[in-house]
Amino acid sequence: MIKRETYMKRIRPFIGKELVKVMTGIRRSGKSVMLELIQDELRFNGVSEENFISINFEDLRYAYLLNAMALHEEILQRAKHMEGKVYLFFDEIQEVADWEKCINSFRVSLDCDIYITGSNAKLLSGELATYLGGRYVEFVIYPFSFTEFLELYHSIAPDASMQQCFQKYLLAGGMPYLANIRYEEDPVKQYLTDLFNSVQLKDIVKRNKVRDVDLLERIIAYVIANIGTTFSASSLVKFLKNERRFTSTDTVLNYIKYCCDSYLFYQVRREDLHGKQILSTNEKYYIADHGIREAVFGGNMRDINLILENIVYMELLRRGYKVTVGKIGDKEIDFVCDQRGEKLYVQVAYLLADESTVQREFGVYDSICDNFPKYVVTMDELDMSRNGIRHRNIRDFLTAGEWN
């Protein structure tokens, strides 16, 4: 089991504190394992396992607890027989009706430490904010980074070179369970396709009561095909019209939002770097795991420039950056990243094949006059850094401890 220390470092300061710890992210990204890792940490610090109550609400054995009152009574009954602080671990809490009231009541009435997971961004909107107002802390759990993938893949293929590992990562992606099927091509494709169907059915169609499933599938297919490419809802409406599917921009935007709420897609807004404002049209979208794209759509190697962008974008999120696409006149910087006022600029390309490509990728920084780090990230093995702009091979960039 990968220890996922990146997340544990962030969670550790809150262990034992009264704030509710909320872990969100796409289905099967490793949220349940995070609950196990937290339990391991508590055991290591001398907490008795008898004080743990752990429930996965997708387990049919707990179907009788899927409403707030039933869960409340069950936990209070169990807690009566425990001495000291009670540690509550609730997996996929959104399956419980009115769960927010229940969690808030535990916080008030029990000496407890609460950890919950969920697969929908709405978990932290609306009523939860009302009931817990400022008394929770969120951690988004992403599929494996390339560094985490390396650690696991080397336990299966210890002699694989860094290049071979990255080639496998390009196609398989970072879903944690894949190690259990030893990254074998056909089982990987089947697992990721089933996962994608589960996200679509349970977290998008069922949760949002989507009636036109065919339209949703076409919109998802379009976004998957065009990850990392700017497009507008109106251009998608025109595309659908050509396929004899008539819909409105509002419907398209709603369906894409449902996908983002389920953590299947991430929206990246464009920022005018000279005007210092967020632009309201033509966002980009990236997929939570590029392996899912290969399994359900294919073409990761054909669209490798887009896949490299997707991999870098998800790594930026893992490291806690807020990310926009930078617009300067008629040029765009792939990623403008901010972390507590410290900036980082990243341009991603497949290969710097000729001087015109070099000029294009490095030239986007000509109008940026600050001293924050600027990177061009590619598959090239030779270092072509120039004019204070750092060039990095993508494998080295992803595995580097620090970028500043």
Side-chain angles (χ1 to χ4, degrees):
M1 187 163 62
I2 299 288
K3 294 299 183 186
R4 309 209 83 174
E5 187 59 24
T6 303
Y7 299 107
M8 285 306 299
K9 265 192 233 174
R10 295 175 193 162
I11 295 168
R12 203 168 276 124
F14 298 98
I15 291 178
K17 305 295 191 297
E18 66 172 16
L19 291 173
V20 178
K21 276 66 70 179
V22 183
M23 277 153 275
T24 56
I26 190 170
R27 188 174 289 271
R28 306 291 170 257
S29 60
K31 301 183 295 295
S32 303
V33 171
M34 290 309 305
L35 295 184
E36 292 178 33
L37 291 172
I38 291 163
Q39 290 174 24
D40 287 346
E41 183 97 359
L42 288 165
R43 288 187 200 96
F44 180 78
N45 290 326
V47 176
S48 169
E49 194 169 334
E50 292 179 359
N51 283 38
F52 297 168
I53 300 177
S54 185
I55 300 173
N56 183 337
F57 292 105
E58 291 194 321
D59 187 332
L60 278 175
R61 289 177 299 170
Y62 300 111
Y64 69 101
L65 297 178
L66 296 184
N67 70 75
M69 284 306 298
L71 178 61
H72 192 259
E73 289 174 20
E74 173 86 6
I75 298 304
L76 290 186
Q77 192 63 34
R78 289 204 212 175
K80 275 184 188 175
H81 308 291
M82 297 179 181
E83 292 181 15
K85 191 182 286 288
V86 178
Y87 295 84
L88 304 176
F89 301 90
F90 297 138
D91 210 352
E92 299 296 352
I93 189 72
Q94 76 273 353
E95 301 297 329
V96 179
D98 295 326
W99 64 270
E100 305 96 332
K101 298 175 185 176
C102 191
I103 295 297
N104 190 51
S105 180
F106 293 148
R107 197 185 56 74
V108 171
S109 59
L110 277 179
D111 178 14
C112 62
D113 188 16
I114 305 174
Y115 302 84
I116 63 178
T117 79
S119 303
N120 197 284
K122 288 181 182 175
L123 205 67
L124 293 176
S125 63
E127 288 201 23
L128 177 58
T130 303
Y131 280 100
L132 295 182
R135 298 187 183 91
Y136 66 86
V137 57
E138 181 195 12
F139 307 93
V140 182
I141 309 300
Y142 302 100
F144 281 162
S145 66
F146 179 53
T147 301
E148 290 174 316
F149 174 88
L150 266 178
E151 183 182 340
L152 207 54
Y153 191 64
H154 271 148
S155 70
I156 294 164
D159 298 328
S161 67
M162 183 79 101
Q163 289 94 328
Q164 289 170 325
C165 291
F166 190 68
Q167 193 72 16
K168 178 62 77 172
Y169 187 63
L170 280 172
L171 295 173
M175 279 298 172
Y177 185 80
L178 299 185
N180 295 347
I181 48 179
R182 303 185 67 78
Y183 293 100
E184 292 177 12
E185 187 176 341
D186 289 341
V188 162
K189 184 172 182 179
Q190 182 179 343
Y191 174 79
L192 292 176
T193 302
D194 291 345
L195 168 60
F196 169 76
N197 291 335
S198 179
V199 170
Q200 185 173 274
L201 179 63
K202 291 185 179 178
D203 298 325
I204 302 174
V205 172
K206 186 178 170 187
R207 187 157 303 286
N208 297 288
K209 300 179 173 62
V210 172
R211 292 182 180 178
D212 195 339
V213 177
D214 175 71
L215 179 64
L216 173 70
E217 288 174 349
R218 288 168 187 261
I219 290 170
I220 290 174
Y222 183 91
V223 177
I224 286 178
N226 291 279
I227 58 164
T229 306
T230 53
F231 65 85
S232 64
S234 57
S235 66
L236 182 40
V237 168
K238 286 176 187 171
F239 169 80
L240 292 166
K241 187 177 179 182
N242 290 336
E243 293 199 334
R244 302 192 177 282
R245 287 306 319 257
F246 301 95
T247 188
S248 67
T249 54
D250 283 347
T251 300
V252 166
L253 288 169
N254 283 335
Y255 279 17
I256 292 177
K257 184 178 186 303
Y258 298 157
C259 296
C260 292
D261 285 343
S262 71
Y263 296 99
L264 178 62
F265 299 139
Y266 287 84
Q267 182 193 70
V268 191
R269 295 190 179 278
R270 293 160 72 237
E271 176 186 7
D272 185 331
L273 295 181
H274 283 167
K276 306 292 185 187
Q277 62 181 356
I278 296 294
L279 302 171
S280 59
T281 57
N282 291 5
E283 296 92 352
K284 287 187 178 184
Y285 293 89
Y286 293 96
I287 192 166
D289 181 73
H290 56 280
I292 293 175
R293 184 187 191 270
E294 174 67 20
V296 303
F297 181 77
N300 275 13
M301 297 312 294
R302 182 192 64 230
D303 302 324
I304 190 165
N305 56 322
L306 301 179
I307 299 306
L308 296 181
E309 261 189 52
N310 203 110
I311 289 170
V312 169
Y313 172 71
M314 294 306 298
E315 184 65 20
L316 292 165
L317 291 190
R318 281 187 198 94
R319 299 201 186 194
Y321 285 95
K322 292 180 180 176
V323 184
T324 57
V325 175
K327 186 176 184 300
I328 314 168
D330 60 351
K331 294 179 180 177
E332 276 193 354
I333 296 174
D334 289 330
F335 303 122
V336 179
C337 321
D338 186 279
Q339 193 174 63
R340 295 182 293 276
E342 292 295 313
K343 279 196 172 182
L344 181 77
Y345 301 93
V346 184
Q347 187 73 3
V348 184
Y350 174 36
L351 291 170
L352 299 175
D354 51 42
E355 189 57 32
S356 65
T357 308
V358 172
Q359 290 293 341
R360 185 182 70 239
E361 301 301 336
F362 283 82
V364 296
Y365 293 124
D366 288 348
S367 302
I368 307 290
C369 301
D370 61 37
N371 292 317
F372 291 117
K374 299 168 183 68
Y375 283 94
V376 173
V377 176
T378 73
M379 292 277 283
D380 295 282
E381 301 294 337
L382 292 175
D383 186 347
M384 302 186 207
S385 301
R386 58 178 66 187
N387 303 327
I389 299 165
R390 306 171 197 179
H391 173 233
R392 291 289 182 274
N393 175 276
I394 188 166
R395 300 186 306 271
D396 297 335
F397 183 78
L398 295 172
T399 54
E402 297 290 335
W403 291 328
N404 292 326

